[in-house]
Amino acid sequence: MVDYHAANNQASAGGPNQYMEQENDWDRDLLLDPAWEKQQRKTFTAWCNSHLRKAGTQIENIEEDFRDGLKLMLLLEVISGERLPKPERGKMRVHKINNVNKALDFIASKGVKLVSIGAEEIVDGNAKMTLGMIWTIILRFAIQDISVEETSAKEGLLLWCQRKTAPYKNVNVQNFHISWKDGLAFNALIHRHRPDLIDYDSLRKDDPVTNLNNAFEVAEKHLDIPKMLDAEDIVGTLRPDEKAIMTYVSCFYHAFSGAQKAETAANRICKVLAVNQENEQMMEDYEKLASDLLEWIRRTIPWLQDRTQEKTVNDMQAKQEDFRDYRRVHKPPKVQEKCQLEISFNTLQTKLRLSNRPAFMPSEGRMVSDINTAWHNLEGAEKGYEEWMLSEIRRLERLEHLAEKFHQKAAIHESWTDGKEAMLTQKDYETSTLSEVKALLRKHEAFESDLAAHQDRVEQIAAIAQELNELDYYDAASVNTRCQKICDQWDNLGALTHSRKESLERTEKQLESIDELYLEYAKRAAPFNNWMEGAMEDLQDMFIVHNIDEIQGLITAHEQFKETLPEANKEREAIQSIQAEVQKIAQSNGIKLSGGNPYTSITPESIDNKWEKAMAMVPQRDKALQEELNKQNSNDSLRATFATQANAVGAYIQAKMEEIGRISIEMNGTLEDQLTHLREYQQSIMSYMPEINKLEADHQHIQEALIFDNKYTSYTMEHLRVGWEQLLTTIARTMNEVENQILTRDAKGISQEQLYEYRASFNHFDKNHSGALNHEEFKACLISLGYDVENDKQGDSEFNRIMGMVDPNGTGSVTFQGFINFMSTETTDTDTADQVMASFKILAGDKNYITAEELRRELPPDQAEYCIARMAPYAGPDAAPGALDYMSFSTALYGESDL
């Protein structure tokens, strides 16, 4: 048997272990009064169960249920909060003795000297020894730590009871036995702390059983103190058991002495919850703003990607005006929202770091990088839409020009072919003389020449129709119908021409007379007439040019055409002289002409009429070309004006971007001075806005004039718009970084000298002045500050831990703000998840869970409801109805990294 003997020679009369001297020897008490043993058995059993229920178990018989040592070890673990050695699960006596010895060794390790209590007695179910051991445990873990005005243990508990019950009539606590028999002292303790639970004035001193039962029931129902005593046993005993009374009263002490701790814990939780509620509101605001902006981008991009073709240039220009309205009215507010979103995100992350909370991770698809990607896609869609509109306008202009040209040539051709089929199908040669047949044959030969000359026009008509189809002309169906009709008619004319020629050649053998002069006239008049018709077509032809070189080319070609007119006039006079010779021969020989030239329908009058019309078109063509030249000169002036302003604005933006880069690296003075300087710098930049507006006006003139290129500058309006927006965003982002540095400095108590030192260290290793450190630069900076991050396994692990703090998104670089946040975190302290968890445990009365009623009693209403709405149900073995898991809630406030 293992004995624990009274060897506490170190404890003096007033020492901390005085209570262990056991002034009222428990074994004599039990032997003298069996009633006391009954009271102790009931009280000690209830006391043990009040703790064992936290582990989901209980005992029924105090000397039997502790014999194997298992529940005894579990009880010690629950009340001490420590882990005992692993128990033995065997059923043999030696296993039980070993388990009890482990429990007794643990009690001895807490400074307790047990007298004549051995493991064998406990295993054998010795009631006296078992009750003595439990009383020792109660003294050590429930009464020893009670301290009131430099008195402890029993004396401290007695003094606490006297102080708390002093104001109450008929209550005079002088001991832990007869002072409690009438039950008024128990009711006074409860009423002093919870007056809402007991109507003390209604109690009568002469009704002790009612008083005792009232106190026991209220304590069990509202204070979670189990009923450890029977009113009848106390009243029916001359002197109630002191140990039972002390055990039960100590439960009241522990229940009520935690009120101040609960208030402190509640204040801590309120503070933490207030910070968390503010951060959650900022997160909700960010999510809403991000969602709204992304939704606007989502709705806008399909509109910019719409490539529905219009039928006319005017319709496309209306679309272009809608796009300009989008640029001027709808997009600028969204640019401001995007900038504000980035600023809000950075401010929120700074506040989360300062309050030791995990970094905010927006919901999927709403990161700042996601918004930047969506914005980039929007700008890409804008650029594509603008390029498509300009391309469509060019295409429609080309289509309108080709359609007009097609219908003009088709009309000329149809006019020429009118009546040709009837002419080719007539049988006039059957009743004609030889000379008439020869004339018909010559006329037919002239027609064949004319037909061949018109072949080029037919090919041109077909080519134009094909191009209209390739360019997706909206009225291509009618064009194709008309073209097919012309081609079919042309094929039919060819077949009829061949058939008539064969008939004339057969008749020619019988007819031999022909007038050579008429034939010569016809042969020369036909090509000349065709040349005039071609010249008239060219003089009426529409033209589209885009620069001075193109119009100069047309003017040069026109001048060359005019140089050929004298020679053409000679040909006209020669043709007319042939007809004059015919008249002269007819008059000299008395020949009466019976009609016109049998070989051609082209008369001298028609040639003269066409010549006069062509000559009248020449000055009209001169005027049209000159007007176009003036227009191109004006367009060139618009190009030069835009280029001058664009070059100036582009240089200004480039210079200011370089300047703000230097400012963000070489900041001097206090943070407030830097912020003031940046705001003044921002105002100076915004004062340049009139120049941007002027450039926009010049660009609008360029677009209205349908100018698509500019050789005087490499800048485009889109490039300058992006540069200007980037400049404004860079300034706003730099100001936000300084504001976050002020927040960090004020929250963490960082001095101005420390900030200068941080900036100097950061700039020293920022070799390329990019405003960020890569991995190697940041590692060198940490080494210079004394961190052990050398290239070994331990150093790499430490470096990776630090990189996870300063670069949570894995961008590969460390900004100055991230560097300051890391340095301030290393030198300051904040609330932790363990502290919040410990505070909740105090409010819960040392339980592993807490109830909604306890939260509403200890916390303000709004924060109590906040916790109740977010705490998950507690699923432990000791769970009670309505139990809530405050541990996982505390962990979630700070992220799993604090576990």
Side-chain angles (χ1 to χ4, degrees):
M1 180 179 71
V2 179
D3 292 327
Y4 292 82
H5 301 288
N8 186 15
N9 297 326
Q10 298 176 355
S12 62
N17 293 323
Q18 181 181 4
Y19 72 96
M20 292 306 303
E21 294 178 1
Q22 303 179 357
E23 54 189 1
N24 295 318
D25 196 7
W26 55 269
D27 51 346
R28 290 203 308 274
D29 291 341
L30 289 173
L31 291 172
L32 291 175
D33 193 344
W36 286 6
E37 178 181 348
K38 177 183 177 183
Q39 292 178 14
Q40 286 185 12
R41 187 186 303 273
K42 177 177 180 62
T43 302
F44 291 177
T45 300
W47 184 86
C48 292
N49 284 334
S50 71
H51 293 286
L52 286 173
R53 69 181 181 180
K54 298 176 183 177
T57 186
Q58 63 180 8
I59 62 172
E60 299 294 337
N61 189 309
I62 195 167
E63 62 266 26
E64 292 295 327
D65 291 348
F66 284 144
R67 291 180 62 184
D68 61 1
L70 295 177
K71 290 189 177 180
L72 178 60
M73 294 179 70
L74 181 61
L75 173 64
L76 291 172
E77 286 186 346
V78 172
I79 63 179
S80 68
E82 302 180 20
R83 297 289 295 179
L84 272 68
K86 185 176 181 181
E88 299 180 11
R89 296 294 180 179
K91 302 293 185 178
M92 299 177 64
R93 176 179 175 83
V94 66
H95 296 140
K96 298 178 181 179
I97 291 175
N98 289 341
N99 287 339
V100 174
N101 275 329
K102 290 177 182 179
L104 297 177
D105 288 341
F106 179 78
I107 297 173
S109 70
K110 299 302 180 180
V112 178
K113 300 300 182 179
L114 300 176
V115 180
S116 300
I117 300 177
E120 287 81 353
E121 284 84 351
I122 305 302
V123 172
D124 291 338
N126 187 315
K128 181 183 72 172
M129 293 298 180
T130 302
L131 291 173
M133 177 189 65
I134 297 301
W135 172 241
T136 302
I137 292 173
I138 292 172
L139 284 175
R140 172 61 183 84
F141 292 101
I143 300 177
Q144 176 187 357
D145 293 336
I146 297 175
S147 177
V148 180
E149 294 187 1
E150 300 183 356
T151 62
S152 60
K154 176 181 177 180
E155 291 76 10
L157 181 60
L158 182 61
L159 179 58
W160 178 78
C161 293
Q162 291 170 343
R163 292 287 177 84
K164 296 299 181 181
T165 60
Y168 293 87
K169 65 180 180 179
N170 298 325
V171 177
N172 183 18
V173 178
Q174 297 298 324
N175 50 53
F176 288 108
H177 37 81
I178 61 175
S179 295
W180 303 83
K181 285 190 66 175
D182 60 8
L184 291 178
F186 290 113
N187 284 277
L189 277 181
I190 297 174
H191 186 269
R192 180 64 181 270
H193 294 91
R194 291 292 301 277
D196 58 308
L197 299 180
I198 289 181
D199 182 7
Y200 185 82
D201 294 334
S202 66
L203 301 176
R204 303 198 326 272
K205 185 174 179 63
D206 58 356
D207 190 5
V209 173
T210 301
N211 297 340
L212 289 169
N213 284 329
N214 180 67
F216 297 161
E217 291 171 1
V218 169
E220 183 174 29
K221 181 177 180 181
H222 298 285
L223 302 181
D224 199 27
I225 299 175
K227 185 177 181 181
M228 299 182 181
L229 303 170
D230 283 331
E232 291 77 7
D233 292 342
I234 295 176
V235 173
T237 304
L238 182 62
R239 183 174 180 267
D241 181 61
E242 185 178 52
K243 297 177 181 61
I245 298 295
M246 284 180 64
T247 300
Y248 188 54
V249 172
S250 69
C251 293
F252 284 91
Y253 173 84
H254 289 295
F256 294 136
S257 65
Q260 184 61 36
K261 294 181 181 179
E263 181 179 355
T264 302
N267 290 336
R268 177 184 292 275
I269 292 173
C270 290
K271 174 185 174 184
V272 171
L273 294 179
V275 171
N276 211 60
Q277 287 172 314
E278 181 182 356
N279 290 342
E280 284 187 358
Q281 184 60 46
M282 292 187 68
M283 293 176 190
E284 291 175 2
D285 293 342
Y286 172 88
E287 289 282 345
K288 183 178 186 307
L289 187 57
S291 298
D292 292 345
L293 183 58
L294 289 171
E295 177 61 19
W296 178 81
I297 294 175
R298 185 191 66 77
R299 294 196 313 269
T300 304
I301 287 180
W303 175 67
L304 294 172
Q305 291 175 339
D306 181 19
R307 298 296 185 266
T308 303
Q309 296 178 342
E310 300 295 340
K311 296 180 179 181
T312 65
V313 174
N314 289 337
D315 292 340
M316 280 306 300
Q317 288 175 338
K319 268 192 174 182
Q320 192 177 43
E321 185 58 33
D322 291 341
F323 181 73
R324 290 173 185 153
D325 185 68
Y326 155 80
R327 276 271 178 78
R328 291 191 302 263
V329 178
H330 300 290
K331 185 181 178 185
K334 299 303 177 182
V335 174
Q336 294 298 323
E337 289 182 11
K338 177 177 176 290
C339 180
Q340 182 60 42
L341 195 66
E342 293 182 4
I343 292 173
S344 298
F345 180 84
N346 293 335
T347 301
L348 174 58
Q349 296 292 41
T350 299
K351 288 187 175 181
L352 289 173
R353 294 189 196 100
L354 295 178
S355 58
N356 199 28
R357 301 303 195 275
F360 171 51
M361 291 297 293
S363 57
E364 184 177 358
R366 292 181 175 85
M367 292 288 293
V368 173
S369 58
D370 297 323
I371 293 171
N372 289 333
T373 299
W375 192 264
H376 177 73
N377 294 337
L378 174 70
E379 292 179 337
E382 285 181 10
K383 185 174 183 299
Y385 188 67
E386 187 173 28
E387 292 175 350
W388 172 77
M389 284 194 297
L390 295 177
S391 174
E392 275 295 290
I393 290 174
R394 294 180 184 175
R395 184 183 71 84
L396 291 173
E397 286 180 340
R398 174 68 176 165
L399 283 174
E400 289 183 0
H401 170 68
L402 288 175
E404 181 65 25
K405 192 171 184 178
F406 170 85
H407 291 299
Q408 184 183 42
K409 288 184 176 293
I412 294 173
H413 176 77
E414 289 167 348
S415 176
W416 178 83
T417 58
D418 185 37
K420 294 297 188 292
E421 292 180 345
M423 179 195 73
L424 291 173
T425 56
Q426 63 182 344
K427 306 293 184 178
D428 53 340
Y429 53 83
E430 294 179 353
T431 58
S432 299
T433 62
L434 177 59
S435 60
E436 290 173 342
V437 171
K438 285 185 175 291
L440 290 176
L441 186 58
R442 299 296 184 271
K443 181 179 179 181
H444 187 74
E445 291 175 353
F447 173 77
E448 285 182 322
S449 299
D450 199 9
L451 188 68
H454 279 77
Q455 176 68 33
D456 183 63
R457 181 181 289 111
V458 174
E459 292 174 356
Q460 290 178 8
I461 291 172
I464 293 172
Q466 181 179 355
E467 188 171 359
L468 286 171
N469 279 275
E470 291 173 352
L471 293 177
D472 197 19
Y473 181 54
Y474 77 95
D475 199 19
S478 64
V479 170
N480 292 336
T481 300
R482 190 172 187 182
C483 180
Q484 188 62 44
K485 181 179 179 181
I486 290 173
C487 292
D488 293 344
Q489 186 185 41
W490 185 256
D491 293 338
N492 188 42
L493 285 176
L496 292 175
T497 300
H498 181 69
S499 175
R500 181 172 177 80
K501 185 175 181 181
E502 288 180 344
S503 299
L504 289 173
E505 287 176 347
R506 286 194 302 270
T507 308
E508 188 184 24
K509 296 178 181 179
Q510 301 172 359
L511 303 174
E512 297 179 351
S513 181
I514 189 170
D515 189 342
E516 292 294 335
L517 197 58
Y518 271 150
L519 182 59
E520 183 181 358
Y521 173 90
K523 288 181 176 181
R524 295 185 67 175
F528 183 74
N529 183 67
N530 191 57
W531 173 85
M532 284 194 300
E533 290 179 349
M536 292 170 68
E537 286 183 30
D538 292 339
L539 290 172
Q540 297 178 81
D541 190 18
M542 298 172 62
F543 54 83
I544 296 177
V545 295
H546 299 95
N547 53 55
I548 295 177
D549 293 338
E550 293 178 1
I551 189 59
Q552 288 289 5
L554 291 178
I555 292 174
T556 300
H558 183 61
E559 292 300 325
Q560 292 174 352
F561 167 75
K562 290 195 292 185
E563 292 175 358
T564 64
L565 292 179
E567 188 66 28
N569 191 42
K570 291 180 180 179
E571 177 65 13
R572 182 185 66 82
E573 292 175 347
I575 292 173
Q576 296 292 47
S577 66
I578 294 173
Q579 182 64 24
E581 184 67 19
V582 169
Q583 295 296 335
K584 181 180 178 182
I585 293 173
Q587 291 176 1
S588 61
N589 294 282
I591 299 173
K592 185 178 180 181
L593 300 176
S594 58
N597 194 322
Y599 304 113
T600 182
S601 59
I602 301 172
T603 64
E605 292 77 15
S606 65
I607 291 177
D608 288 341
N609 290 337
K610 288 182 179 180
W611 178 261
E612 290 174 0
K613 289 181 180 180
M615 292 305 98
M617 291 178 183
V618 171
Q620 296 175 0
R621 184 72 168 183
D622 290 335
K623 180 180 178 182
L625 290 173
Q626 186 60 42
E627 289 175 351
E628 185 62 30
L629 178 61
N630 295 338
K631 176 183 175 183
Q632 290 303 322
N633 285 329
S634 174
N635 288 351
D636 208 52
S637 176
L638 291 176
R639 289 188 182 95
T641 300
F642 174 81
T644 300
Q645 184 70 3
N647 291 334
V649 170
Y652 175 82
I653 292 175
Q654 180 65 29
K656 293 303 178 181
M657 286 297 292
E658 295 174 356
E659 188 174 335
I660 190 61
R662 293 194 300 272
I663 290 175
S664 63
I665 295 175
E666 301 171 0
M667 288 186 173
N668 298 315
T670 66
L671 293 177
E672 287 75 7
D673 293 340
Q674 295 173 18
L675 186 59
T676 300
H677 176 65
L678 285 171
R679 287 171 177 162
E680 293 172 352
Y681 186 79
Q682 185 184 43
Q683 289 298 323
S684 68
I685 294 297
M686 293 306 298
S687 65
Y688 196 72
M689 193 64 191
E691 298 299 322
I692 301 296
N693 294 335
K694 181 178 182 301
L695 185 64
E696 288 283 2
D698 293 339
H699 181 252
Q700 183 171 350
H701 293 156
I702 285 284
Q703 288 191 320
E704 289 173 352
L706 299 179
I707 298 173
F708 308 115
D709 56 354
N710 195 334
K711 63 183 179 180
Y712 300 112
T713 182
S714 60
Y715 290 109
T716 65
M717 193 65 231
E718 181 63 26
H719 176 243
L720 293 174
R721 287 192 192 105
V722 172
W724 177 253
E725 292 173 359
Q726 184 179 358
L727 175 60
L728 296 181
T729 301
T730 301
I731 294 172
R733 186 182 296 114
T734 304
M735 291 172 62
N736 180 246
E737 288 178 357
V738 175
E739 291 170 347
N740 286 338
Q741 291 173 27
I742 293 174
L743 284 175
T744 302
R745 180 199 66 190
D746 296 341
K748 299 294 186 177
I750 300 174
S751 65
Q752 191 67 39
E753 290 73 15
Q754 286 178 304
L755 286 175
Y756 287 150
E757 181 182 350
Y758 294 160
R759 171 58 77 179
S761 298
F762 189 87
N763 289 345
H764 174 75
F765 291 96
D766 186 13
K767 302 301 183 182
N768 59 356
H769 304 294
S770 64
L773 302 180
N774 59 31
H775 278 205
E776 296 303 322
E777 291 172 342
F778 183 55
K779 179 178 284 188
C781 182
L782 290 176
I783 293 173
S784 72
L785 294 173
Y787 286 86
D788 185 11
V789 291
E790 296 292 346
N791 292 326
D792 55 30
K793 186 174 182 180
Q794 183 176 357
D796 289 342
S797 177
E798 176 65 10
F799 180 71
N800 291 333
R801 181 189 71 82
I802 295 174
M803 281 303 296
M805 297 170 60
V806 299
D807 184 22
N809 295 328
T811 61
S813 61
V814 181
T815 63
F816 181 61
Q817 181 64 38
F819 178 68
I820 287 181
N821 291 335
F822 167 71
M823 294 305 295
S824 62
T825 301
E826 290 291 297
T827 58
T828 58
D829 189 19
T830 57
D831 292 324
T832 67
D834 289 339
Q835 291 174 331
V836 175
M837 200 180 302
S839 297
F840 273 118
K841 192 166 188 178
I842 292 173
L843 297 188
D846 204 34
K847 301 191 297 295
N848 292 329
Y849 61 84
I850 194 167
T851 65
E853 180 181 357
E854 291 169 333
L855 287 171
R856 292 189 177 103
R857 184 176 68 236
E858 303 294 347
L859 299 181
D862 61 331
Q863 295 187 337
E865 297 305 325
Y866 176 84
C867 293
I868 293 169
R870 286 163 174 76
M871 283 187 182
Y874 177 70
D878 56 337
L884 300 175
D885 188 355
Y886 63 78
M887 295 183 181
S888 60
F889 175 73
S890 302
T891 301
L893 288 177
Y894 289 86
E896 293 190 0
S897 60
D898 285 339
L899 288 179

